[in-house]
Amino acid sequence: MNAKVDRMTRIESLISEMTLSEKLGQLTMTACGYAVTGPTIAGDSTEAIKAGTIGSLLNLVGADHIRQMQDLAVAHSRLKIPLLIALDVIHGLRTIFPIPLAEAAMFDREGWERTAREAAHEAAADGIALTFAPMLDVARDPRWGRIAEGPGEDPWLASEIARAKVRGFQGAQLSDRDALAACAKHYCGYGAVTAGRDYASTDVSERTLQEVHLPAFRAALEAGVASVMPAFTDLAGIPMTANRALLRERLRGQYGFDGVIISDYNAIGELLRHGVAADLTEAATLALNAGVDIDMMSNAYRTGLPAALERGWVQIAQIDQAVHRVLTLKTRLGLFDDPYRRGSVPESVAALSERRRFARQIGARSVVMLQNVRATLPLPGSIQRLCVAGPLADAAAEMGGCWCPAARTDTHVSVLQGLRAALPEVAISHAPGVAINGDDRSQIEAALEQCERAEAIVLCLGEAASMSGEAASRSDLDLPGLQRGFAQAVFESASTHDIPVIVVLFSGRPLIVPWLFERADAVLAAWFLGTEAGNAIADLLTGAQSPSARSPVSWPRSMGQVPVFFAQRPSGRPASANDHYTSKYLDAPNEPLINFGHGLTYGQFRYSNLRVAPEAVRESDTLGIEVDLANVGSHEAEETVFLFAHDKLASVSRPLLELKGFRRIHLHPGQSGTVRLSMPASELCFPGVDLERVFEPGEVEILVGPSAERTRLLAQTIVLKT
Ligand code: BGC
């Protein structure tokens, strides 16, 4: 008998031995908390694990605690089925890497994969077997705090990240002791919440679903993702947790997903508040019928499904099938062979310190240099007095951003600490000035005095870590508290003393601070970089590293422009200054303040000689694209080159730019090189008039350049043939 058949038979015979309550236990995920006596289980007792009425746990950390709980299941429950231990390992467990939006800015497949691999090592060493990541919600509204957790505004980029993350978390095979099952979330359309308000309703057209919100999930499925989590939200009135059409029919039926579908936290219970279920029995029925296998934290399956069965609303075969999927995942994770395979080998000190070194590199690679007037950065080697000012200057605890509950924030490195370590000879003063979000003005004068005595000011401004992530939407994306006034005062006084001001901006989203770009000499978007934040930022400020990241989102000029993103469709009345009746604002340009893909380096790159071949292609062909670059600046640097397409004439109006590729090139001053990209012509397919995928003949522009700023792109037209 081959291994798969053998596995299936074992699972089936196990299911045949299970009572209904043991079956529903396998479909139940419960959270852990901590009491003096050790971990406790929300709304349950450890007796439930022994009774086999809990199959998986979330929010449990620490190898000892996890082993203790696993022991209850494996040694004391009747059927000895191991627990599935799950946690949100979003950007690291203890060693925290940059938040996902920041990592997206790296445009580096290996980097994306490796941070997930490292996080998997660290989490698996604790005994964790599944992570609720990657989060793949494309988001074009920066009010939404969860934009911080995702890939940014572009579906093609999101798909690349999806593949790399699934590979990274899951490793070579799920049964490896350092592999985590990944969970693609939140399926789907969560990024489109109304007015950017978390958990609000969504309503997305079928075309936009196919073009924007689904591609990254399909990429995760292709990469073999083990589980999927439906979004909390409804889509055009049908909550995703109960969305049979999108879960059972599309995800399972059409896309062939046979892994585990895990509800979001209490999402089955929330079907009552969505107004589609009268009680937990109805809610559980809707979720199971839609295809949800695991009930996270609603206790709806255990309480509701027995009655639903009696009433004939669900069939036992459906429950068995869900249990089958859960047990298959546990088997694939190797839990039946050795439930302690994860968590039994503590990581070495050397591995941990190597990981921190890597986090520092990745941190530096995630910072986008948005502005650098008169080559203010890197700081000149001759500098002797520096003032590190602002409420985020020495805010180690904020550096992790959202989702790092298991990390010790006292090991994070602040900008002040990083700069002091990097520049031991320089006199570095520190002046917070104001709190991140307070109204105390009493420290402002003293801070301005400190600033005046420096040769350069590093002004660290932005959001607190808690201002982005889940349930952290904001309606005003200016700096919180008194920071704007404080920054204006610093700019004012610095300009009278001719002192350059370098702003390091922390945020989980693009902020709307046009006034800041008008006055700052240099601006670094530092997002939240994690454990090694301060060292990574110091590496860039001192020039030990050149910035190389590019913004994965457009930065609006004003809230009135939101949503603003590069892949807009053309208007029948394109904006024209000479024609009143065109698509524009009377009081602002259409373009964002900062384009998708923007990011400066310490080099200076000239693009020339775009070559695209062949000039006529069929769907099965691959396009070869070459462009020459020269670094005409005075520092070595890495440039990211983007590839876009624009289908000029099709049966459906196509976006003015669609991202199709990127590649990086490292050049020394005076050096030239050629960047080669390739693109399967099938990438130019799109959902046609009837929403079926088509490859249509006609002209397509291929564009290459440093960002989505149209005027900076080189273009060549090719012809598609059927
Ligand atoms: C979030 C999920 C997360 C889950 C478990 C929910 O509130 O929406 O993204 O995985 O909690 O922590």
Side-chain angles (χ1 to χ4, degrees):
M1 212 184 318
N2 74 33
K4 196 167 173 191
V5 175
D6 187 30
R7 196 169 78 192
M8 291 303 159
T9 321
R10 265 194 291 151
I11 292 173
E12 273 149 28
S13 84
L14 194 51
I15 294 176
S16 70
E17 284 179 53
M18 293 168 91
T19 63
L20 178 61
S21 104
E22 283 167 337
K23 287 177 184 174
L24 298 179
Q26 287 307 307
L27 307 186
T28 297
M29 181 180 279
T30 306
C32 276
Y34 294 92
V36 204
T37 49
T40 60
I41 300 175
D44 244 303
S45 73
T46 48
E47 292 307 311
I49 297 180
K50 292 195 210 158
T53 58
I54 290 179
S56 40
L57 292 177
L58 83 150
N59 291 351
L60 181 61
V61 286
D64 292 345
H65 288 154
I66 290 176
R67 177 174 272 271
Q68 222 175 309
M69 288 293 152
Q70 194 61 281
D71 235 26
L72 293 176
V74 174
H76 301 283
S77 73
R78 188 176 78 91
L79 295 171
K80 312 202 178 326
I81 301 174
L83 293 168
L84 175 66
I85 307 289
L87 187 75
D88 291 273
V89 182
I90 306 296
H91 52 121
L93 180 72
R94 298 205 176 75
T95 310
I96 301 298
F97 297 108
I99 56 168
L101 186 64
E103 262 207 11
M106 290 195 298
F107 286 92
D108 176 357
R109 294 177 185 88
E110 277 170 36
W112 294 327
E113 180 171 340
R114 169 118 186 252
T115 53
R117 194 82 289 278
E118 294 293 328
H121 266 288
E122 212 168 85
D126 255 25
I128 293 161
L130 181 143
T131 174
F132 302 117
M135 195 272 221
L136 301 174
D137 301 311
V138 169
R140 294 171 169 182
D141 189 331
R143 288 173 293 188
W144 192 46
R146 301 199 81 168
I147 194 173
E149 299 174 47
E153 75 178 47
D154 185 69
W156 188 89
L157 170 61
S159 306
E160 293 294 304
I161 293 175
R163 287 188 198 96
K165 288 291 172 197
V166 172
R167 277 198 307 268
F169 285 127
Q170 298 196 166
Q173 51 187 6
L174 276 185
S175 57
D176 289 345
R177 63 170 70 246
D178 63 357
L180 297 185
C183 178
K185 71 184 191 188
H186 306 84
Y187 180 87
C188 59
Y190 190 14
V193 280
T194 303
R197 203 175 65 247
D198 206 4
Y199 315 125
S201 181
T202 75
D203 196 345
V204 181
S205 72
E206 174 57 30
R207 177 172 303 285
T208 301
L209 271 188
Q210 287 191 27
E211 292 186 359
V212 178
H213 298 284
L214 289 171
F217 287 93
R218 299 201 70 173
L221 299 186
E222 278 160 28
V225 73
S227 66
V228 170
M229 181 188 291
F232 278 130
T233 36
D234 76 286
L235 183 65
I238 319 282
M240 282 308 308
T241 308
N243 203 314
R244 198 185 165 111
L246 276 157
L247 294 176
R248 188 174 289 283
E249 280 148 35
R250 189 162 321 187
L251 184 66
R252 290 225 189 275
Q254 193 181 331
Y255 301 164
F257 178 63
D258 63 357
V260 175
I261 299 183
I262 308 177
S263 87
D264 204 343
Y265 200 103
N266 195 36
I268 303 182
E270 287 166 24
L271 293 177
L272 276 66
R273 296 210 200 108
H274 276 286
V276 298
D279 54 29
L280 282 187
T281 304
E282 280 190 21
T285 304
L286 283 171
L288 189 74
N289 283 337
V292 175
D293 301 306
I294 293 186
D295 166 2
M296 184 203 290
M297 287 305 289
S298 299
N299 206 17
Y301 278 4
R302 283 190 310 190
T303 39
L305 288 183
L309 260 179
E310 268 171 36
R311 292 175 204 168
W313 293 355
V314 300
Q315 308 304 316
I316 190 69
Q318 286 172 268
I319 293 176
D320 287 353
Q321 202 179 20
V323 174
H324 200 291
R325 286 200 195 94
V326 173
L327 296 181
T328 303
L329 178 58
K330 290 184 176 183
T331 310
R332 289 180 66 208
L333 283 163
L335 292 170
F336 282 102
D337 297 334
D338 174 9
Y340 306 108
R341 69 198 309 125
R342 292 175 189 76
S344 53
V345 187
E347 290 207 291
S348 67
V349 173
L352 292 170
S353 65
E354 177 52 34
R355 186 166 304 130
R356 274 195 81 130
R357 258 197 301 282
F358 175 61
R360 177 174 183 160
Q361 279 169 28
I362 289 289
R365 298 186 64 80
S366 301
V367 175
V368 186
M369 185 160 72
L370 296 174
Q371 184 159 304
N372 191 20
V373 180
R374 292 181 300 278
T376 302
L377 287 176
L379 291 168
S382 57
I383 199 154
Q384 288 179 352
R385 294 182 318 280
L386 194 62
C387 181
V388 186
L392 283 135
D394 196 22
E398 304 294 336
M399 296 293 105
C402 55
W403 288 114
C404 41
R408 278 185 45 196
T409 51
D410 59 348
T411 66
H412 293 351
V413 180
S414 73
V415 181
L416 182 67
Q417 290 166 327
L419 277 170
R420 283 193 170 146
L423 301 170
E425 313 291 313
V426 177
I428 301 182
S429 63
H430 169 227
V434 292
I436 296 177
N437 197 17
D439 54 8
D440 179 2
R441 297 170 191 275
S442 64
Q443 305 294 312
I444 295 182
E445 274 314 308
L448 294 176
E449 279 168 28
Q450 295 268 23
C451 287
E452 278 171 21
R453 287 198 286 271
E455 290 165 73
I457 301 163
V458 176
L459 184 56
C460 302
L461 304 170
E463 301 181 315
S466 60
M467 291 178 182
S468 61
E470 189 175 346
S473 294
R474 296 177 64 212
S475 68
D476 176 1
L477 299 187
D478 206 332
L479 294 174
L482 297 178
Q483 290 189 66
R484 180 170 175 166
F486 173 59
Q488 300 278 29
V490 172
F491 289 139
E492 212 46 58
S493 118
S495 78
T496 56
H497 297 86
D498 212 15
I499 307 171
V501 181
I502 298 136
V503 174
V504 181
L505 202 53
F506 292 90
S507 64
R509 51 162 67 83
L511 295 175
I512 303 183
V513 285
W515 57 269
L516 186 144
F517 290 98
E518 275 165 26
R519 300 295 301 270
D521 295 282
V523 181
L524 297 181
W527 319 104
F528 291 104
L529 298 177
T531 312
E532 284 288 320
N535 288 331
I537 291 165
D539 286 341
L540 298 175
L541 294 173
T542 58
Q545 301 271 340
S546 167
S548 61
R550 303 307 185 91
S551 186
V553 277
S554 309
W555 291 55
R557 290 168 195 274
S558 65
M559 190 58 86
Q561 283 189 318
V562 170
V564 59
F565 52 95
F566 76 89
Q568 311 252 349
R569 290 185 205 280
S571 160
R573 295 186 172 193
S576 157
N578 306 325
D579 188 348
H580 184 68
Y581 293 99
T582 56
S583 175
K584 59 179 186 285
Y585 300 105
L586 295 179
D587 55 357
N590 285 1
E591 293 71 35
L593 188 64
I594 293 163
N595 285 278
F596 173 95
H598 174 70
L600 304 169
T601 70
Y602 291 149
Q604 207 188 327
F605 292 87
R606 294 261 158 82
Y607 287 63
S608 62
N609 199 16
L610 173 66
R611 283 100 67 194
V612 184
E615 284 177 10
V617 286
R618 289 181 207 284
E619 186 177 345
S620 55
D621 293 339
T622 295
L623 280 172
I625 297 121
E626 294 186 354
V627 66
D628 298 333
L629 266 83
N631 183 353
V632 297
S634 50
H635 287 80
E636 65 173 308
E638 195 168 84
E639 173 78 351
T640 303
V641 177
F642 292 101
L643 169 67
F644 297 97
H646 173 212
D647 192 339
K648 296 201 292 192
L649 180 63
S651 54
V652 175
S653 176
R654 302 299 303 149
L656 290 165
L657 283 181
E658 290 180 77
L659 182 65
K660 295 293 177 193
F662 63 83
R663 175 136 298 180
R664 297 191 319 280
I665 182 169
H666 191 111
L667 292 176
H668 290 272
Q671 200 188 356
S672 299
T674 298
V675 167
R676 293 185 179 81
L677 294 127
S678 69
M679 175 177 80
S682 57
E683 287 262 359
L684 298 168
C685 291
F686 60 89
V689 174
D690 55 3
L691 294 165
E692 293 300 319
R693 191 169 190 257
V694 282
F695 183 84
E696 283 183 358
E699 287 192 345
V700 170
E701 257 183 309
I702 300 295
L703 306 102
V704 169
S707 76
E709 187 180 345
R710 182 88 195 194
T711 54
R712 300 191 59 199
L713 297 172
L714 301 177
Q716 189 178 317
T717 299
I718 57 158
V719 178
L720 308 191
K721 297 184 301 185
T722 47

